[in-house]
């Protein structure tokens, strides 16, 4: 296996291991919600004027899938839709109080995971972080260019 393939394989394995370790904790703390719902709630909290198009891009899902998921979240009372006074065409989403509570629990779990994994990061230098960020940025930029073609 060449080094490129080994690096991609290691990155994918790392992502799978993190998911495997965190998923049961997330599911226990937020048992009424799917991981897709939790992630969409997080995106709505982070993205200004979150609409179907922005959420689809951020979630790597189709607009149709996002439409279905936002309807589910609205039915559960986690999000609400709204329109800007100057743009009646576009529909945006924001968290309700209940949605903010779910997002808060999710963010606290992220913090717990970072504390659990602190030993991995405590000896990393700024240069090491920068190198990893540059690599990930280049790779993501490359993949985005492929999807645009």
């Amino acid at each position: 296996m060449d080094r490129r393939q080994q690096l991609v394989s290691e990155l994918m394995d790392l992502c799978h291991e993190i998911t495997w370790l965190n998923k049961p904790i997330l599911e226990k703390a937020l048992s009424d919600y799917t991981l897709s719902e939790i992630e969409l709630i997080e995106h709505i909290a982070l993205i200004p004027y979150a609409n179907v198009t922005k959420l689809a891009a951020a979630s790597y899902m189709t607009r149709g899938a996002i439409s279905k998921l936002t309807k589910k979240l609205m039915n559960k009372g986690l999000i609400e839709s709204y329109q800007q006074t100057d743009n009646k065409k576009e529909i945006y989403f924001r968290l309700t109080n209940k949605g903010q509570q779910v997002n808060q629990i999710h963010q606290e779990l992220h913090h717990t995971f970072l504390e659990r994994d602190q030993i991995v990061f405590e000896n990393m230098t700024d240069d090491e972080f920068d190198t990893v960020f540059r690599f990930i940025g280049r790779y993501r930029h490359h993949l985005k260019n492929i999807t645009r073609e």
Side-chain angles (χ1 to χ4, degrees), residues 79-133:
I79 66 171
E80 59 189 10
S81 63
Y82 69 98
Q83 294 177 306
Q84 299 284 24
T85 54
D86 60 338
N87 182 355
K88 295 294 182 185
K89 179 182 173 191
E90 193 65 52
I91 296 172
Y92 302 97
F93 301 98
R94 62 182 162 221
L95 299 181
T96 62
N97 287 338
K98 185 177 177 183
Q100 289 173 7
Q101 290 170 353
V102 169
N103 190 52
Q104 181 63 35
I105 293 167
H106 184 213
Q107 296 312 311
E108 288 169 4
L109 287 170
H110 277 301
H111 184 72
T112 301
F113 299 150
L114 281 175
E115 285 180 357
R116 176 198 66 202
D117 300 338
Q118 177 58 29
I119 193 168
V120 175
F121 301 104
E122 63 190 16
N123 293 320
M124 281 186 73
T125 66
D126 287 343
D127 286 343
E128 289 173 322
F129 273 108
D130 291 342
T131 298
V132 173
F133 290 143

Side-chain angles (χ1 to χ4, degrees), residues 8-148:
V8 171
S9 179
E10 290 287 332
L11 285 172
M12 294 197 54
D13 286 348
L14 174 62
C15 290
H16 291 305
E17 286 176 43
I18 291 169
T19 300
W20 179 82
L21 189 61
N22 294 351
K23 186 178 177 184
I25 299 165
L26 282 165
E27 287 175 339
K28 183 177 179 184
L30 297 165
S31 60
D32 294 336
Y33 313 105
T34 66
L35 290 177
S36 294
E37 291 171 336
I38 295 165
E39 288 177 6
L40 193 61
I41 288 168
E42 181 178 39
H43 289 308
I44 292 169
L46 294 173
I47 298 171
Y49 304 106
N51 61 19
V52 169
T53 301
K54 289 179 182 180
L55 293 170
S59 303
Y60 300 96
M61 296 175 136
T62 65
R63 289 173 34 168
I66 294 297
S67 291
K68 288 180 183 178
L69 204 47
T70 53
K71 285 178 186 167
K72 277 182 164 181
L73 293 177
M74 286 173 49
N75 289 337
K76 291 182 177 188
L78 298 166
I79 66 171
E80 59 189 10
S81 63
Y82 69 98
Q83 294 177 306
Q84 299 284 24
T85 54
D86 60 338
N87 182 355
K88 295 294 182 185
K89 179 182 173 191
E90 193 65 52
I91 296 172
Y92 302 97
F93 301 98
R94 62 182 162 221
L95 299 181
T96 62
N97 287 338
K98 185 177 177 183
Q100 289 173 7
Q101 290 170 353
V102 169
N103 190 52
Q104 181 63 35
I105 293 167
H106 184 213
Q107 296 312 311
E108 288 169 4
L109 287 170
H110 277 301
H111 184 72
T112 301
F113 299 150
L114 281 175
E115 285 180 357
R116 176 198 66 202
D117 300 338
Q118 177 58 29
I119 193 168
V120 175
F121 301 104
E122 63 190 16
N123 293 320
M124 281 186 73
T125 66
D126 287 343
D127 286 343
E128 289 173 322
F129 273 108
D130 291 342
T131 298
V132 173
F133 290 143
R134 273 194 312 275
F135 170 74
I136 292 171
R138 279 196 308 263
Y139 207 144
R140 292 185 75 194
H141 179 75
H142 166 71
L143 296 176
K144 285 180 184 178
N145 284 339
I146 290 172
T147 59
R148 285 185 198 130

